[in-house]
Amino acid sequence: MADPTLPVSTDAAPVNKGAMFTSFDVDAFEVPSPREEAWRFTPFRRLRGLHDGSAQRTADATVAVSGVGEGVSVDTVGRDDERLGQGGVPFDRVAAQAYSSFQTATVVTVKSEVELAEPVVLELTGPGAGETAFGHIQIRLEPFARAVVVLDQKGSGTYAENVEFIVGDSAALTVINVHDWADDAVHVAAHHIKTGRDAVVRHFAISFGGNLVRLSPLVHYDAPGGDVELWGLYFADAGQHLEQRLLVDHSQPNCRSNVVYKGALQGDTSGDRTREAHTVWIGDVLIRPAAEGTDTFELNRNLVLTDNARADSVPNLEIETGEIVGAGHASATGRFDDEQLFYLQARGIPEDQARRLVIRGFFGEVIAKITVPDLRERLAAAVERELEISGA
Protein backbone atom coordinates (compact mmCIF):
# COMPACT_ATOMS: atom_id res chain seq x y z
CA MET A 1 0.00 0.00 0.00
CA ALA A 2 1.31 3.46 -0.89
CA ASP A 3 2.62 5.59 1.94
CA PRO A 4 0.27 8.63 2.11
CA THR A 5 3.04 10.78 3.59
CA LEU A 6 5.12 10.57 0.41
CA PRO A 7 4.69 13.45 -2.05
CA VAL A 8 3.33 12.41 -5.44
CA SER A 9 3.54 14.36 -8.68
CA THR A 10 0.31 15.25 -10.43
CA ASP A 11 1.93 16.14 -13.76
CA ALA A 12 -0.22 15.69 -16.85
CA ALA A 13 0.88 13.80 -19.93
CA PRO A 14 4.38 14.95 -20.97
CA VAL A 15 4.56 17.79 -23.49
CA ASN A 16 8.34 17.37 -23.74
CA LYS A 17 10.95 15.03 -22.33
CA GLY A 18 11.41 17.23 -19.28
CA ALA A 19 7.75 16.97 -18.30
CA MET A 20 7.97 13.30 -17.36
CA PHE A 21 5.85 11.95 -14.53
CA THR A 22 7.66 11.83 -11.18
CA SER A 23 6.76 10.40 -7.79
CA PHE A 24 8.30 9.01 -4.63
CA ASP A 25 5.56 6.37 -4.56
CA VAL A 26 6.34 3.19 -6.48
CA ASP A 27 2.63 2.37 -6.81
CA ALA A 28 2.12 5.57 -8.80
CA PHE A 29 4.03 4.00 -11.70
CA GLU A 30 2.80 1.29 -14.00
CA VAL A 31 5.08 -1.69 -14.59
CA PRO A 32 7.25 -0.70 -17.57
CA SER A 33 7.00 -2.51 -20.88
CA PRO A 34 9.63 -3.20 -23.56
CA ARG A 35 7.35 -1.28 -25.92
CA GLU A 36 8.07 1.97 -24.05
CA GLU A 37 10.76 4.19 -25.53
CA ALA A 38 12.53 4.52 -22.18
CA TRP A 39 12.85 0.74 -21.82
CA ARG A 40 12.99 -0.67 -25.34
CA PHE A 41 16.71 -1.49 -25.25
CA THR A 42 16.80 -2.93 -21.71
CA PRO A 43 16.69 -6.75 -21.38
CA PHE A 44 13.90 -7.20 -18.82
CA ARG A 45 14.76 -10.83 -18.14
CA ARG A 46 18.06 -9.66 -16.66
CA LEU A 47 16.62 -7.02 -14.33
CA ARG A 48 15.82 -9.66 -11.68
CA GLY A 49 12.45 -8.11 -10.90
CA LEU A 50 13.65 -4.56 -10.20
CA HIS A 51 11.10 -3.21 -12.67
CA ASP A 52 7.96 -5.01 -11.50
CA GLY A 53 8.30 -5.11 -7.71
CA SER A 54 9.18 -8.79 -7.45
CA ALA A 55 12.72 -7.87 -6.36
CA GLN A 56 12.56 -7.42 -2.61
CA ARG A 57 15.31 -6.28 -0.28
CA THR A 58 17.23 -9.22 1.17
CA ALA A 59 20.41 -7.47 2.30
CA ASP A 60 22.13 -4.08 2.32
CA ALA A 61 25.01 -2.58 0.42
CA THR A 62 27.74 -0.98 2.51
CA VAL A 63 29.03 2.58 2.08
CA ALA A 64 32.43 3.58 3.48
CA VAL A 65 33.36 7.26 3.30
CA SER A 66 36.97 8.44 3.42
CA GLY A 67 38.87 11.65 2.75
CA VAL A 68 36.53 13.66 4.98
CA GLY A 69 38.27 16.80 6.15
CA GLU A 70 37.34 20.01 7.90
CA GLY A 71 34.20 21.56 6.48
CA VAL A 72 32.67 18.22 5.42
CA SER A 73 29.93 16.35 7.28
CA VAL A 74 28.68 12.80 6.71
CA ASP A 75 25.25 11.81 8.01
CA THR A 76 23.41 8.51 7.97
CA VAL A 77 19.71 9.33 7.88
CA GLY A 78 16.28 7.79 7.42
CA ARG A 79 13.74 8.45 4.71
CA ASP A 80 12.12 11.15 6.83
CA ASP A 81 15.15 13.46 6.55
CA GLU A 82 13.83 16.65 4.93
CA ARG A 83 16.91 17.00 2.69
CA LEU A 84 16.20 13.82 0.75
CA GLY A 85 14.50 14.39 -2.56
CA GLN A 86 15.60 18.02 -2.86
CA GLY A 87 17.86 17.07 -5.77
CA GLY A 88 15.12 15.35 -7.73
CA VAL A 89 12.13 13.02 -7.61
CA PRO A 90 12.18 9.45 -9.01
CA PHE A 91 11.11 9.44 -12.67
CA ASP A 92 10.62 5.72 -13.25
CA ARG A 93 9.40 2.70 -11.31
CA VAL A 94 12.86 1.33 -10.48
CA ALA A 95 13.98 4.65 -8.99
CA ALA A 96 10.74 4.86 -6.98
CA GLN A 97 11.22 1.28 -5.80
CA ALA A 98 14.72 2.18 -4.66
CA TYR A 99 13.42 5.22 -2.78
CA SER A 100 10.66 3.22 -1.12
CA SER A 101 12.97 0.37 -0.11
CA PHE A 102 16.26 1.77 1.19
CA GLN A 103 16.91 1.51 4.93
CA THR A 104 19.27 4.44 5.48
CA ALA A 105 20.72 7.13 3.23
CA THR A 106 24.20 8.68 3.24
CA VAL A 107 24.33 12.48 3.04
CA VAL A 108 27.69 14.18 2.43
CA THR A 109 27.71 17.97 2.83
CA VAL A 110 30.54 20.34 1.92
CA LYS A 111 30.10 23.58 3.81
CA SER A 112 29.90 27.00 2.20
CA GLU A 113 33.19 28.41 0.83
CA VAL A 114 35.12 25.25 1.68
CA GLU A 115 37.59 24.15 -0.99
CA LEU A 116 38.77 20.55 -0.53
CA ALA A 117 42.36 19.73 -1.42
CA GLU A 118 41.71 15.97 -1.55
CA PRO A 119 38.78 13.98 -2.95
CA VAL A 120 36.02 12.56 -0.78
CA VAL A 121 35.69 8.86 -1.61
CA LEU A 122 32.51 6.82 -1.15
CA GLU A 123 33.25 3.12 -1.60
CA LEU A 124 30.03 1.18 -2.08
CA THR A 125 30.07 -2.62 -1.96
CA GLY A 126 27.11 -4.60 -3.29
CA PRO A 127 24.97 -6.87 -1.09
CA GLY A 128 26.57 -10.10 -2.33
CA ALA A 129 25.80 -12.77 -4.90
CA GLY A 130 22.13 -13.70 -4.94
CA GLU A 131 21.13 -10.75 -2.72
CA THR A 132 19.16 -7.58 -3.51
CA ALA A 133 19.65 -4.14 -1.98
CA PHE A 134 18.43 -0.58 -2.45
CA GLY A 135 20.29 2.61 -1.63
CA HIS A 136 20.28 6.39 -1.55
CA ILE A 137 23.19 8.85 -1.53
CA GLN A 138 23.12 12.63 -1.53
CA ILE A 139 26.08 14.93 -2.17
CA ARG A 140 25.49 18.58 -1.20
CA LEU A 141 27.76 21.52 -1.93
CA GLU A 142 26.79 24.76 -0.25
CA PRO A 143 27.45 28.07 -2.06
CA PHE A 144 31.02 28.72 -3.20
CA ALA A 145 32.24 25.27 -2.10
CA ARG A 146 34.59 23.25 -4.32
CA ALA A 147 35.04 19.47 -4.12
CA VAL A 148 35.93 16.29 -5.96
CA VAL A 149 33.86 13.24 -5.03
CA VAL A 150 34.61 9.67 -6.10
CA LEU A 151 31.76 7.16 -5.98
CA ASP A 152 33.47 3.78 -6.35
CA GLN A 153 31.02 0.88 -6.74
CA LYS A 154 32.04 -2.77 -6.67
CA GLY A 155 30.99 -6.22 -5.47
CA SER A 156 28.17 -8.62 -6.34
CA GLY A 157 24.40 -8.77 -6.23
CA THR A 158 21.43 -6.73 -7.44
CA TYR A 159 21.36 -3.06 -6.53
CA ALA A 160 19.08 -0.11 -7.37
CA GLU A 161 19.64 3.43 -6.12
CA ASN A 162 19.06 7.15 -6.38
CA VAL A 163 22.02 9.53 -6.12
CA GLU A 164 21.43 13.26 -5.67
CA PHE A 165 23.99 15.95 -6.45
CA ILE A 166 22.88 19.37 -5.17
CA VAL A 167 25.35 22.09 -6.15
CA GLY A 168 24.81 25.52 -4.63
CA ASP A 169 25.33 28.94 -6.15
CA SER A 170 28.86 29.42 -7.54
CA ALA A 171 29.92 26.01 -6.19
CA ALA A 172 31.97 23.54 -8.25
CA LEU A 173 31.63 19.75 -8.06
CA THR A 174 33.55 17.07 -9.89
CA VAL A 175 32.07 13.61 -9.38
CA ILE A 176 33.63 10.42 -10.72
CA ASN A 177 31.39 7.36 -10.59
CA VAL A 178 33.21 4.08 -11.27
CA HIS A 179 31.18 0.91 -11.95
CA ASP A 180 33.71 -1.82 -11.23
CA TRP A 181 31.13 -4.51 -10.44
CA ALA A 182 31.67 -8.27 -10.39
CA ASP A 183 30.47 -10.27 -13.39
CA ASP A 184 27.15 -11.21 -11.73
CA ALA A 185 26.08 -7.73 -10.65
CA VAL A 186 22.94 -5.94 -11.84
CA HIS A 187 22.91 -2.21 -11.14
CA VAL A 188 20.19 0.34 -12.00
CA ALA A 189 20.81 3.94 -10.91
CA ALA A 190 19.19 7.35 -11.28
CA HIS A 191 21.47 10.37 -10.85
CA HIS A 192 19.70 13.64 -10.06
CA ILE A 193 21.95 16.66 -10.73
CA LYS A 194 20.65 20.07 -9.59
CA THR A 195 22.70 23.22 -10.12
CA GLY A 196 22.40 26.66 -8.58
CA ARG A 197 23.31 30.02 -10.07
CA ASP A 198 26.70 29.91 -11.84
CA ALA A 199 27.36 26.43 -10.44
CA VAL A 200 29.81 24.10 -12.21
CA VAL A 201 29.47 20.31 -12.42
CA ARG A 202 31.80 17.80 -14.03
CA HIS A 203 30.18 14.34 -13.95
CA PHE A 204 32.14 11.23 -15.02
CA ALA A 205 30.48 7.83 -15.49
CA ILE A 206 32.96 4.97 -15.93
CA SER A 207 31.57 1.46 -16.61
CA PHE A 208 33.68 -1.67 -16.88
CA GLY A 209 32.10 -4.40 -14.74
CA GLY A 210 28.69 -5.90 -14.17
CA ASN A 211 26.25 -8.16 -15.96
CA LEU A 212 23.81 -5.29 -16.54
CA VAL A 213 24.38 -1.65 -15.65
CA ARG A 214 21.78 1.02 -16.47
CA LEU A 215 22.59 4.60 -15.47
CA SER A 216 20.18 7.53 -15.96
CA PRO A 217 21.63 10.99 -15.19
CA LEU A 218 19.14 13.89 -15.18
CA VAL A 219 20.46 17.46 -15.13
CA HIS A 220 18.21 20.24 -13.86
CA TYR A 221 19.31 23.87 -13.85
CA ASP A 222 17.77 25.65 -10.87
CA ALA A 223 19.09 29.12 -11.77
CA PRO A 224 20.89 30.92 -14.62
CA GLY A 225 24.57 30.45 -15.41
CA GLY A 226 24.95 26.72 -14.71
CA ASP A 227 27.80 24.89 -16.46
CA VAL A 228 27.57 21.09 -16.67
CA GLU A 229 29.79 18.58 -18.45
CA LEU A 230 28.94 14.87 -18.61
CA TRP A 231 31.80 12.55 -19.51
CA GLY A 232 31.45 8.80 -19.98
CA LEU A 233 33.69 5.84 -20.66
CA TYR A 234 32.48 2.25 -21.00
CA PHE A 235 33.99 -1.04 -22.20
CA ALA A 236 31.57 -3.93 -22.74
CA ASP A 237 32.73 -7.54 -22.85
CA ALA A 238 30.88 -10.67 -23.98
CA GLY A 239 27.51 -10.97 -22.25
CA GLN A 240 27.52 -7.46 -20.78
CA HIS A 241 24.75 -4.89 -21.19
CA LEU A 242 25.86 -1.33 -20.38
CA GLU A 243 23.21 1.36 -20.81
CA GLN A 244 23.50 5.12 -20.37
CA ARG A 245 20.35 7.26 -20.58
CA LEU A 246 20.80 10.93 -19.91
CA LEU A 247 18.62 14.02 -20.03
CA VAL A 248 19.97 17.57 -19.83
CA ASP A 249 17.00 19.83 -19.13
CA HIS A 250 17.84 23.44 -19.97
CA SER A 251 15.14 25.41 -18.19
CA GLN A 252 17.13 28.53 -17.22
CA PRO A 253 18.85 31.19 -19.35
CA ASN A 254 22.56 31.39 -20.12
CA CYS A 255 23.46 27.83 -19.12
CA ARG A 256 25.94 25.51 -20.79
CA SER A 257 26.22 21.74 -21.21
CA ASN A 258 28.72 19.50 -22.93
CA VAL A 259 28.36 15.73 -23.20
CA VAL A 260 31.09 13.31 -24.33
CA TYR A 261 30.64 9.54 -23.98
CA LYS A 262 32.98 6.99 -25.52
CA GLY A 263 32.63 3.20 -25.51
CA ALA A 264 34.27 0.05 -26.83
CA LEU A 265 32.71 -3.38 -27.31
CA GLN A 266 34.03 -6.91 -27.71
CA GLY A 267 31.66 -9.87 -27.90
CA ASP A 268 32.08 -13.64 -28.01
CA THR A 269 33.10 -14.38 -31.60
CA SER A 270 31.82 -17.96 -31.44
CA GLY A 271 28.42 -16.60 -32.44
CA ASP A 272 26.63 -17.31 -29.15
CA ARG A 273 23.96 -14.59 -29.05
CA THR A 274 23.77 -14.76 -25.27
CA ARG A 275 27.40 -13.64 -25.23
CA GLU A 276 26.81 -10.49 -27.23
CA ALA A 277 28.37 -7.27 -25.95
CA HIS A 278 25.67 -4.60 -25.98
CA THR A 279 25.89 -0.90 -25.16
CA VAL A 280 23.12 1.69 -25.24
CA TRP A 281 23.59 5.44 -25.16
CA ILE A 282 20.54 7.72 -25.24
CA GLY A 283 21.41 11.41 -25.06
CA ASP A 284 18.44 13.77 -24.66
CA VAL A 285 18.89 17.54 -24.48
CA LEU A 286 15.86 19.77 -23.94
CA ILE A 287 16.01 23.55 -24.37
CA ARG A 288 12.86 25.12 -22.94
CA PRO A 289 11.41 28.50 -24.03
CA ALA A 290 12.92 30.29 -21.02
CA ALA A 291 16.42 28.91 -21.67
CA GLU A 292 17.69 31.72 -23.88
CA GLY A 293 21.46 31.88 -24.29
CA THR A 294 21.88 28.11 -24.01
CA ASP A 295 25.08 26.59 -25.38
CA THR A 296 25.03 22.79 -25.67
CA PHE A 297 26.66 19.95 -27.56
CA GLU A 298 26.65 16.17 -27.14
CA LEU A 299 28.87 13.48 -28.64
CA ASN A 300 28.82 9.70 -28.50
CA ARG A 301 31.42 7.49 -30.18
CA ASN A 302 31.60 3.69 -30.11
CA LEU A 303 34.45 1.46 -31.22
CA VAL A 304 33.44 -2.11 -32.17
CA LEU A 305 36.40 -4.45 -31.70
CA THR A 306 34.85 -7.83 -32.61
CA ASP A 307 31.81 -9.46 -34.13
CA ASN A 308 28.80 -10.22 -31.91
CA ALA A 309 28.82 -6.69 -30.51
CA ARG A 310 26.04 -4.12 -30.81
CA ALA A 311 26.07 -0.43 -29.97
CA ASP A 312 22.82 1.57 -29.98
CA SER A 313 23.35 5.33 -29.98
CA VAL A 314 20.49 7.85 -30.12
CA PRO A 315 21.20 11.58 -29.63
CA ASN A 316 18.13 13.85 -29.39
CA LEU A 317 17.77 17.62 -29.33
CA GLU A 318 14.45 19.28 -28.47
CA ILE A 319 14.64 23.05 -28.93
CA GLU A 320 11.78 25.34 -27.90
CA THR A 321 13.50 28.72 -28.39
CA GLY A 322 15.63 30.12 -31.19
CA GLU A 323 17.51 32.52 -28.90
CA ILE A 324 20.47 30.24 -28.16
CA VAL A 325 24.24 30.39 -28.56
CA GLY A 326 24.44 26.95 -30.11
CA ALA A 327 23.15 23.38 -30.02
CA GLY A 328 24.38 20.28 -31.74
CA HIS A 329 24.99 16.57 -31.49
CA ALA A 330 27.03 13.84 -33.14
CA SER A 331 27.13 10.06 -32.96
CA ALA A 332 29.40 7.54 -34.63
CA THR A 333 29.84 3.76 -34.33
CA GLY A 334 32.39 1.77 -36.28
CA ARG A 335 35.46 -0.42 -36.33
CA PHE A 336 39.08 0.68 -36.43
CA ASP A 337 40.01 3.56 -38.68
CA ASP A 338 42.03 1.84 -41.40
CA GLU A 339 43.84 5.08 -42.21
CA GLN A 340 45.07 5.42 -38.63
CA LEU A 341 46.29 1.82 -38.59
CA PHE A 342 47.99 2.25 -41.97
CA TYR A 343 49.70 5.43 -40.81
CA LEU A 344 51.14 3.71 -37.74
CA GLN A 345 52.11 0.52 -39.54
CA ALA A 346 53.81 2.55 -42.29
CA ARG A 347 56.11 3.86 -39.58
CA GLY A 348 57.19 0.41 -38.51
CA ILE A 349 54.70 -0.20 -35.68
CA PRO A 350 53.35 -3.79 -35.70
CA GLU A 351 49.59 -4.15 -36.23
CA ASP A 352 48.78 -5.36 -32.69
CA GLN A 353 50.65 -2.43 -31.14
CA ALA A 354 49.05 -0.04 -33.60
CA ARG A 355 45.59 -1.25 -32.58
CA ARG A 356 46.41 -0.71 -28.91
CA LEU A 357 47.63 2.82 -29.60
CA VAL A 358 44.42 3.66 -31.44
CA ILE A 359 42.26 2.40 -28.56
CA ARG A 360 44.35 4.22 -25.95
CA GLY A 361 44.01 7.41 -27.96
CA PHE A 362 40.27 6.84 -28.33
CA PHE A 363 39.77 6.77 -24.54
CA GLY A 364 42.57 9.21 -23.76
CA GLU A 365 40.40 12.31 -24.05
CA VAL A 366 38.10 11.14 -21.25
CA ILE A 367 40.77 9.70 -18.95
CA ALA A 368 42.89 12.86 -19.24
CA LYS A 369 40.02 14.93 -17.85
CA ILE A 370 40.02 13.00 -14.55
CA THR A 371 41.84 15.07 -11.96
CA VAL A 372 42.60 12.30 -9.44
CA PRO A 373 46.00 10.82 -10.45
CA ASP A 374 45.57 7.43 -8.74
CA LEU A 375 42.15 6.98 -10.30
CA ARG A 376 43.39 8.06 -13.71
CA GLU A 377 46.13 5.43 -13.54
CA ARG A 378 43.65 2.79 -12.37
CA LEU A 379 41.33 3.45 -15.31
CA ALA A 380 44.19 3.36 -17.80
CA ALA A 381 45.21 -0.02 -16.34
CA ALA A 382 41.60 -1.25 -16.64
CA VAL A 383 41.60 -0.37 -20.34
CA GLU A 384 44.85 -2.32 -20.73
CA ARG A 385 43.25 -5.37 -19.09
CA GLU A 386 40.33 -5.13 -21.51
CA LEU A 387 42.76 -5.01 -24.41
CA GLU A 388 44.39 -8.19 -23.14
CA ILE A 389 40.99 -9.89 -23.33
CA SER A 390 40.38 -8.65 -26.87
CA GLY A 391 43.85 -9.55 -28.04
CA ALA A 392 44.27 -6.06 -29.44
Side-chain angles (χ1 to χ4, degrees):
M1 182 175 180
D3 185 342
T5 65
L6 293 177
V8 177
S9 169
T10 57
D11 292 345
V15 295
N16 57 41
K17 289 185 180 294
M20 67 183 75
F21 178 79
T22 60
S23 175
F24 292 102
D25 179 12
V26 65
D27 293 330
F29 293 90
E30 295 183 358
V31 174
S33 161
R35 293 184 297 274
E36 297 176 33
E37 172 59 31
W39 294 93
R40 67 188 180 99
F41 291 111
T42 308
F44 277 51
R45 67 188 182 280
R46 295 166 65 177
L47 284 174
R48 299 176 184 163
L50 288 176
H51 64 295
D52 61 12
S54 60
Q56 298 296 310
R57 170 184 166 271
T58 62
D60 291 317
T62 60
V63 180
V65 185
S66 60
V68 177
E70 186 175 353
V72 181
S73 64
V74 180
D75 301 314
T76 300
V77 302
R79 194 174 295 103
D80 58 348
D81 190 288
E82 63 180 7
R83 293 171 293 182
L84 299 186
Q86 292 180 356
V89 182
F91 47 79
D92 63 35
R93 186 180 174 92
V94 177
Q97 177 74 53
Y99 191 90
S100 300
S101 303
F102 75 83
Q103 296 299 292
T104 58
T106 301
V107 178
V108 178
T109 304
V110 183
K111 302 299 183 182
S112 180
E113 300 186 4
V114 170
E115 182 171 352
L116 300 182
E118 298 295 331
V120 176
V121 179
L122 289 81
E123 185 173 298
L124 186 146
T125 304
E131 305 291 348
T132 299
F134 300 92
H136 197 103
I137 292 172
Q138 185 182 93
I139 309 298
R140 304 176 64 92
L141 266 65
E142 295 181 353
F144 297 97
R146 302 180 66 88
V148 176
V149 175
V150 177
L151 177 54
D152 194 0
Q153 298 179 302
K154 58 186 67 175
S156 295
T158 302
Y159 184 64
E161 65 173 347
N162 290 278
V163 184
E164 300 179 60
F165 303 99
I166 302 174
V167 186
D169 294 350
S170 298
L173 170 67
T174 295
V175 57
I176 306 162
N177 182 199
V178 182
H179 305 136
D180 197 11
W181 296 104
D183 291 343
D184 71 292
V186 170
H187 178 213
V188 181
H191 283 193
H192 310 269
I193 303 168
K194 185 176 182 180
T195 68
R197 181 180 293 273
D198 299 326
V200 176
V201 176
R202 300 292 180 258
H203 179 281
F204 293 83
I206 313 295
S207 295
F208 287 105
N211 179 287
L212 178 149
V213 175
R214 176 183 157 120
L215 174 64
S216 300
L218 171 59
V219 177
H220 175 73
Y221 296 89
D222 204 36
D227 183 346
V228 177
E229 293 185 1
L230 302 178
W231 294 84
L233 185 158
Y234 48 88
F235 206 131
D237 291 325
Q240 279 189 296
H241 177 95
L242 303 180
E243 184 167 348
Q244 318 279 343
R245 282 186 168 269
L246 59 96
L247 170 60
V248 182
D249 186 353
H250 282 274
S251 57
Q252 297 286 335
N254 303 317
C255 292
R256 173 184 175 272
S257 66
N258 185 56
V259 177
V260 179
Y261 276 65
K262 292 188 175 185
L265 305 86
Q266 51 191 11
D268 185 337
T269 57
S270 69
D272 183 353
R273 295 295 295 175
T274 65
R275 300 289 292 162
E276 177 187 67
H278 188 195
T279 64
V280 177
W281 180 86
I282 308 296
D284 290 325
V285 175
L286 169 64
I287 304 175
R288 296 179 185 258
E292 296 180 355
T294 292
D295 186 6
T296 181
F297 191 81
E298 57 176 349
L299 169 70
N300 178 230
R301 294 183 61 196
N302 297 288
L303 188 58
V304 180
L305 304 179
T306 68
D307 294 332
N308 205 19
R310 171 186 169 188
D312 290 295
S313 179
V314 185
N316 297 302
L317 270 174
E318 190 172 351
I319 304 174
E320 298 180 342
T321 176
E323 301 298 323
I324 61 175
V325 175
H329 60 70
S331 171
T333 299
R335 294 185 179 272
F336 280 98
D337 187 326
D338 290 336
E339 290 186 3
Q340 288 180 320
L341 288 177
F342 176 80
Y343 177 87
L344 293 171
Q345 289 180 262
R347 280 150 181 77
I349 299 175
E351 181 180 0
D352 59 339
Q353 294 183 28
R355 289 168 62 89
R356 284 176 177 265
L357 287 173
V358 170
I359 298 173
R360 290 171 188 153
F362 177 74
F363 284 129
E365 178 187 10
V366 179
I367 294 177
K369 293 286 184 178
I370 294 175
T371 58
V372 183
D374 291 347
L375 187 55
R376 190 167 57 239
E377 293 172 7
R378 172 183 159 190
L379 297 179
V383 171
E384 289 297 322
R385 288 194 299 272
E386 297 287 354
L387 297 180
E388 292 290 340
I389 295 173
S390 69

